[in-house]
Protein backbone atom coordinates (compact mmCIF):
# COMPACT_ATOMS: atom_id res chain seq x y z
CA UNK A 1 0.00 0.00 0.00
CA UNK A 2 1.60 3.27 -1.10
CA UNK A 3 1.18 6.68 0.45
CA UNK A 4 -0.71 7.70 -2.69
CA UNK A 5 -3.54 5.32 -1.81
CA UNK A 6 -6.65 6.90 -0.25
CA UNK A 7 -6.49 7.15 3.52
CA UNK A 8 -9.44 4.79 4.06
CA UNK A 9 -7.66 2.17 1.92
CA UNK A 10 -4.50 2.58 4.00
CA UNK A 11 -6.53 1.99 7.16
CA UNK A 12 -8.11 -1.12 5.66
CA UNK A 13 -4.72 -2.51 4.69
CA UNK A 14 -3.35 -1.74 8.17
CA UNK A 15 -6.17 -3.75 9.76
CA UNK A 16 -5.81 -6.65 7.31
CA UNK A 17 -2.04 -6.76 7.85
CA UNK A 18 -2.48 -6.97 11.63
CA UNK A 19 -4.98 -9.81 11.26
CA UNK A 20 -2.79 -11.74 8.83
CA UNK A 21 0.22 -11.31 11.12
CA UNK A 22 -1.74 -12.68 14.08
CA UNK A 23 -1.47 -9.41 16.01
CA UNK A 24 -5.27 -9.19 16.17
CA UNK A 25 -6.97 -12.54 16.71
CA UNK A 26 -10.51 -13.78 16.15
CA UNK A 27 -13.09 -11.99 18.34
CA UNK A 28 -10.47 -9.41 19.42
CA UNK A 29 -11.58 -5.80 19.51
CA UNK A 30 -9.92 -3.53 16.93
CA UNK A 31 -9.33 0.23 17.38
CA UNK A 32 -12.43 2.43 17.31
CA UNK A 33 -13.25 5.04 14.68
CA UNK A 34 -11.85 7.76 16.93
CA UNK A 35 -8.65 5.83 17.65
CA UNK A 36 -8.07 5.14 13.96
CA UNK A 37 -8.86 8.74 13.04
CA UNK A 38 -6.27 10.01 15.55
CA UNK A 39 -3.65 7.46 14.51
CA UNK A 40 -3.94 8.18 10.78
CA UNK A 41 -4.74 11.88 11.19
CA UNK A 42 -8.00 11.59 9.24
CA UNK A 43 -11.64 12.40 9.84
CA UNK A 44 -13.86 10.01 11.76
CA UNK A 45 -15.91 9.53 8.59
CA UNK A 46 -12.85 8.20 6.75
CA UNK A 47 -12.13 5.74 9.57
CA UNK A 48 -15.78 4.71 9.61
CA UNK A 49 -15.69 3.96 5.88
CA UNK A 50 -12.70 1.66 6.36
CA UNK A 51 -14.39 -0.25 9.19
CA UNK A 52 -17.71 -0.44 7.34
CA UNK A 53 -16.17 -1.84 4.17
CA UNK A 54 -14.25 -4.50 6.09
CA UNK A 55 -17.43 -5.37 8.01
CA UNK A 56 -19.37 -5.71 4.75
CA UNK A 57 -16.62 -8.00 3.46
CA UNK A 58 -16.90 -10.24 6.54
CA UNK A 59 -13.41 -9.43 7.85
CA UNK A 60 -14.80 -7.57 10.87
CA UNK A 61 -18.00 -7.75 12.86
CA UNK A 62 -19.57 -4.80 14.68
CA UNK A 63 -21.65 -4.96 17.86
CA UNK A 64 -23.52 -1.84 18.86
CA UNK A 65 -22.26 -0.47 22.15
CA UNK A 66 -19.32 -2.89 22.31
CA UNK A 67 -17.17 -2.01 19.31
CA UNK A 68 -15.70 -3.70 16.25
CA UNK A 69 -14.10 -7.14 16.41
CA UNK A 70 -12.16 -9.50 14.16
CA UNK A 71 -14.69 -11.86 12.60
CA UNK A 72 -14.36 -15.63 12.71
CA UNK A 73 -12.07 -16.70 9.90
CA UNK A 74 -14.56 -19.39 8.90
CA UNK A 75 -17.58 -17.11 8.99
CA UNK A 76 -19.14 -16.11 5.72
CA UNK A 77 -22.40 -14.70 4.48
CA UNK A 78 -24.75 -17.33 3.11
CA UNK A 79 -27.74 -17.41 0.84
CA UNK A 80 -28.86 -20.76 2.22
CA UNK A 81 -32.56 -20.83 2.84
CA UNK A 82 -33.53 -20.81 6.51
CA UNK A 83 -36.10 -23.53 7.16
CA UNK A 84 -37.82 -24.85 10.26
CA UNK A 85 -36.54 -28.34 10.99
CA UNK A 86 -40.09 -29.32 11.98
CA UNK A 87 -41.27 -28.40 8.48
CA UNK A 88 -38.43 -30.38 6.91
CA UNK A 89 -39.40 -33.51 8.86
CA UNK A 90 -43.10 -33.14 8.05
CA UNK A 91 -42.34 -32.60 4.37
CA UNK A 92 -40.85 -36.10 4.43
CA UNK A 93 -44.17 -37.34 5.86
CA UNK A 94 -42.48 -38.20 9.12
CA UNK A 95 -43.35 -37.41 12.74
CA UNK A 96 -41.61 -34.44 14.33
CA UNK A 97 -41.14 -34.10 18.09
CA UNK A 98 -38.98 -32.03 20.42
CA UNK A 99 -37.24 -32.75 23.72
CA UNK A 100 -36.43 -29.71 25.86
CA UNK A 101 -33.04 -30.19 27.51
CA UNK A 102 -32.58 -26.69 28.94
CA UNK A 103 -34.47 -23.40 29.02
CA UNK A 104 -32.89 -20.67 31.14
CA UNK A 105 -31.62 -17.13 31.57
CA UNK A 106 -27.83 -16.84 31.89
CA UNK A 107 -25.10 -14.20 32.11
CA UNK A 108 -23.56 -13.66 28.67
CA UNK A 109 -19.89 -14.61 28.43
CA UNK A 110 -17.78 -12.47 26.09
CA UNK A 111 -18.22 -14.57 22.89
CA UNK A 112 -22.01 -14.71 23.37
CA UNK A 113 -22.21 -11.01 24.20
CA UNK A 114 -20.25 -10.15 21.06
CA UNK A 115 -22.40 -12.43 18.92
CA UNK A 116 -25.63 -10.89 20.23
CA UNK A 117 -24.38 -7.32 20.50
CA UNK A 118 -25.17 -7.04 24.20
CA UNK A 119 -23.15 -6.14 27.28
CA UNK A 120 -20.87 -8.79 28.77
CA UNK A 121 -22.52 -10.50 31.79
CA UNK A 122 -25.95 -9.14 30.83
CA UNK A 123 -28.80 -11.65 30.96
CA UNK A 124 -29.59 -13.54 27.76
CA UNK A 125 -31.87 -16.50 27.11
CA UNK A 126 -30.48 -19.97 26.38
CA UNK A 127 -32.33 -22.98 25.10
CA UNK A 128 -31.06 -26.48 24.31
CA UNK A 129 -33.52 -28.58 22.33
CA UNK A 130 -33.34 -32.03 20.78
CA UNK A 131 -35.25 -32.29 17.50
CA UNK A 132 -36.51 -35.80 16.71
CA UNK A 133 -37.75 -37.51 13.56
CA UNK A 134 -39.99 -40.53 14.20
CA UNK A 135 -38.76 -40.43 17.82
CA UNK A 136 -35.12 -40.72 16.69
CA UNK A 137 -32.78 -37.82 17.63
CA UNK A 138 -31.97 -35.75 14.56
CA UNK A 139 -30.45 -32.47 15.72
CA UNK A 140 -29.28 -30.69 18.89
CA UNK A 141 -30.00 -26.98 18.89
CA UNK A 142 -28.31 -24.67 21.40
CA UNK A 143 -29.59 -21.12 20.99
CA UNK A 144 -28.84 -17.82 22.70
CA UNK A 145 -31.50 -15.13 22.30
CA UNK A 146 -31.49 -11.37 22.84
CA UNK A 147 -34.22 -10.76 25.47
CA UNK A 148 -34.83 -7.22 24.22
CA UNK A 149 -36.14 -8.58 20.90
CA UNK A 150 -37.91 -11.71 22.21
CA UNK A 151 -38.87 -10.98 25.85
CA UNK A 152 -41.31 -13.93 26.14
CA UNK A 153 -38.93 -16.53 24.69
CA UNK A 154 -38.65 -18.62 27.87
CA UNK A 155 -42.43 -18.82 28.22
CA UNK A 156 -42.98 -20.54 24.87
CA UNK A 157 -44.13 -24.13 24.47
CA UNK A 158 -41.40 -25.52 22.25
CA UNK A 159 -43.12 -28.90 22.17
CA UNK A 160 -45.54 -27.37 19.66
CA UNK A 161 -43.58 -24.40 18.25
CA UNK A 162 -39.91 -24.35 17.24
CA UNK A 163 -37.66 -21.44 18.26
CA UNK A 164 -37.26 -20.62 14.57
CA UNK A 165 -41.02 -20.33 14.09
CA UNK A 166 -41.49 -18.23 17.22
CA UNK A 167 -38.63 -15.84 16.48
CA UNK A 168 -39.79 -15.45 12.88
CA UNK A 169 -43.09 -14.13 14.23
CA UNK A 170 -41.83 -11.71 16.89
CA UNK A 171 -38.66 -10.55 15.09
CA UNK A 172 -38.90 -11.36 11.36
CA UNK A 173 -35.60 -12.43 9.83
CA UNK A 174 -33.83 -9.90 7.61
CA UNK A 175 -30.29 -11.31 7.57
CA UNK A 176 -28.39 -14.44 8.54
CA UNK A 177 -24.78 -15.52 8.69
CA UNK A 178 -23.62 -19.14 8.79
CA UNK A 179 -20.52 -21.16 9.56
CA UNK A 180 -20.75 -24.79 8.44
CA UNK A 181 -18.18 -27.42 9.39
CA UNK A 182 -17.70 -31.07 10.28
CA UNK A 183 -16.90 -31.77 13.93
CA UNK A 184 -16.41 -34.70 16.27
CA UNK A 185 -19.09 -34.37 18.99
CA UNK A 186 -18.24 -34.37 22.68
CA UNK A 187 -19.65 -36.98 25.07
CA UNK A 188 -22.63 -34.83 26.05
CA UNK A 189 -23.73 -34.34 22.44
CA UNK A 190 -23.20 -38.06 21.74
CA UNK A 191 -25.51 -38.89 24.65
CA UNK A 192 -28.18 -36.47 23.43
CA UNK A 193 -28.04 -37.77 19.85
CA UNK A 194 -27.79 -41.43 20.85
CA UNK A 195 -24.41 -41.91 19.16
CA UNK A 196 -22.59 -44.95 20.49
CA UNK A 197 -19.72 -44.92 17.99
CA UNK A 198 -17.57 -41.98 17.00
CA UNK A 199 -19.28 -40.29 14.08
CA UNK A 200 -18.58 -36.93 12.43
CA UNK A 201 -21.39 -34.43 12.82
CA UNK A 202 -22.46 -31.42 10.83
CA UNK A 203 -22.33 -28.21 12.87
CA UNK A 204 -23.99 -25.00 11.73
CA UNK A 205 -23.28 -21.80 13.64
CA UNK A 206 -25.95 -19.24 12.79
CA UNK A 207 -26.51 -15.59 13.72
CA UNK A 208 -29.79 -13.98 12.72
CA UNK A 209 -30.85 -10.36 12.49
CA UNK A 210 -34.17 -8.55 12.30
CA UNK A 211 -34.68 -4.89 11.42
CA UNK A 212 -34.29 -4.15 15.15
CA UNK A 213 -30.89 -5.83 15.63
CA UNK A 214 -29.29 -9.22 16.34
CA UNK A 215 -31.93 -11.71 17.43
CA UNK A 216 -30.15 -14.98 18.12
CA UNK A 217 -26.95 -16.98 17.98
CA UNK A 218 -27.42 -20.73 17.53
CA UNK A 219 -25.36 -23.92 17.27
CA UNK A 220 -27.04 -26.76 15.39
CA UNK A 221 -25.42 -30.23 15.49
CA UNK A 222 -26.63 -33.21 13.46
CA UNK A 223 -25.17 -36.70 12.86
CA UNK A 224 -23.47 -36.77 9.48
CA UNK A 225 -25.29 -39.99 8.58
CA UNK A 226 -28.75 -38.54 9.25
CA UNK A 227 -28.68 -34.97 7.98
CA UNK A 228 -27.45 -32.97 5.04
CA UNK A 229 -27.56 -29.28 4.24
CA UNK A 230 -28.83 -28.11 0.89
CA UNK A 231 -29.34 -24.79 -0.79
CA UNK A 232 -29.07 -22.78 -3.96
CA UNK A 233 -26.39 -20.12 -4.28
CA UNK A 234 -26.24 -17.38 -6.90
CA UNK A 235 -22.84 -15.86 -7.67
CA UNK A 236 -22.10 -12.55 -9.32
CA UNK A 237 -20.09 -12.75 -12.53
CA UNK A 238 -16.58 -11.37 -12.19
CA UNK A 239 -14.17 -10.40 -14.91
Amino acid sequence: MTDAAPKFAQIKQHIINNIRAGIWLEDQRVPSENELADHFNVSRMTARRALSELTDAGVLTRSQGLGTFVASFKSQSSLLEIKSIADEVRQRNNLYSCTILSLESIAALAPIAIALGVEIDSQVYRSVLLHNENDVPLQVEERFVNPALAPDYLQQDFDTLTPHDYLSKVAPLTEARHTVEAIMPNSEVCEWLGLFNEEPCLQVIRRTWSSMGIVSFARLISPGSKYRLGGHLTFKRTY
Side-chain angles (χ1 to χ4, degrees), residues 6 58 64 77 99 107 125 189 193 196 205 239:
Q64 186 174 1
S77 295
T99 305
Y125 297 150
V189 172
L193 291 173
F196 302 102
I205 302 294
Y239 297 90

Side-chain angles (χ1 to χ4, degrees), residues 40-196:
F40 286 90
N41 193 26
V42 298
S43 69
R44 184 176 176 181
M45 184 176 298
T46 298
R48 180 180 302 168
R49 177 177 177 182
L51 292 177
S52 295
E53 290 191 3
L54 288 178
T55 299
D56 291 341
V59 176
L60 302 176
T61 181
R62 308 188 79 172
S63 294
Q64 186 174 1
L66 293 177
T68 304
F69 300 82
V70 179
S72 169
F73 300 146
K74 296 179 181 178
S75 181
Q76 57 183 315
S77 295
S78 174
L79 298 178
L80 292 171
E81 183 180 0
I82 307 286
K83 291 183 178 180
S84 166
I85 191 168
D87 290 341
E88 291 184 21
V89 171
R90 290 167 184 147
Q91 286 172 2
R92 294 192 285 267
N93 294 319
N94 289 330
L95 176 66
Y96 168 80
S97 62
C98 173
T99 305
I100 300 174
L101 302 174
S102 181
L103 199 57
E104 60 185 342
S105 178
I106 64 169
L109 299 177
I112 302 304
I114 292 170
L116 289 178
V118 300
E119 294 291 336
I120 294 173
D121 290 331
S122 64
Q123 290 295 301
V124 299
Y125 297 150
R126 174 180 179 263
S127 60
V128 182
L129 307 180
L130 183 62
H131 301 289
N132 308 299
E133 183 170 7
N134 292 337
D135 295 325
V136 176
L138 178 64
Q139 183 184 85
V140 172
E141 172 190 317
E142 181 180 29
R143 187 182 296 268
F144 301 90
V145 175
N146 185 343
L149 302 184
D152 298 325
Y153 184 78
L154 296 182
Q155 282 71 54
Q156 301 309 304
D157 180 5
F158 291 124
D159 288 323
T160 59
L161 182 71
T162 67
H164 169 80
D165 290 334
Y166 170 69
L167 294 174
S168 295
K169 290 181 180 180
V170 299
L173 179 70
T174 59
E175 182 183 349
R177 174 161 292 192
H178 306 269
T179 299
V180 182
E181 61 183 339
I183 65 166
M184 293 303 297
N186 60 30
S187 59
E188 185 176 46
V189 172
C190 285
E191 181 179 353
W192 288 339
L193 291 173
L195 301 178
F196 302 102

